[in-house]
Amino acid sequence: MKPRAIAALLAFFLGAFGGQKFYMGRTGAGILSLLFFWTTIPSWIALYDLIMCAVMKDAEWEKKYMV
């Protein structure tokens, strides 16, 4: 079971490097974040992921990331 709180913390602290993407099983997106960490684009995506982790319902989280 992957808790949303850990994904949110990874998005907050390591979002520019794609930490939350690797945790959520999206390795390709994580590698792209690593390649483009010097731009601000992965940081903005991490902010979006952080907000989505906060507002997503439990059933939706389990359906999307608990494969």
Side-chain angles (χ1 to χ4, degrees), residues 14-45:
L14 296 174
F17 304 106
Q20 78 281 9
K21 298 291 186 186
F22 289 110
Y23 179 73
M24 292 189 289
R26 302 188 62 210
T27 308
I31 291 171
L32 281 174
S33 293
L34 280 174
L35 289 175
F36 293 102
F37 78 92
W38 54 274
T39 67
T40 59
I41 295 169
S43 298
W44 288 105
I45 294 171

Side-chain angles (χ1 to χ4, degrees), residues 45-66:
I45 294 171
L47 178 63
Y48 172 78
D49 287 341
L50 177 64
I51 293 169
M52 291 308 296
C53 285
V55 299
M56 191 179 290
K57 297 191 183 319
D58 289 334
E60 189 178 349
W61 173 265
E62 290 177 11
K63 180 181 169 185
K64 193 169 183 177
Y65 297 112
M66 304 306 272

Side-chain angles (χ1 to χ4, degrees), residues 3-19:
R4 286 187 299 173
I6 293 176
L9 286 172
L10 286 171
F12 185 76
F13 290 110
L14 296 174
F17 304 106

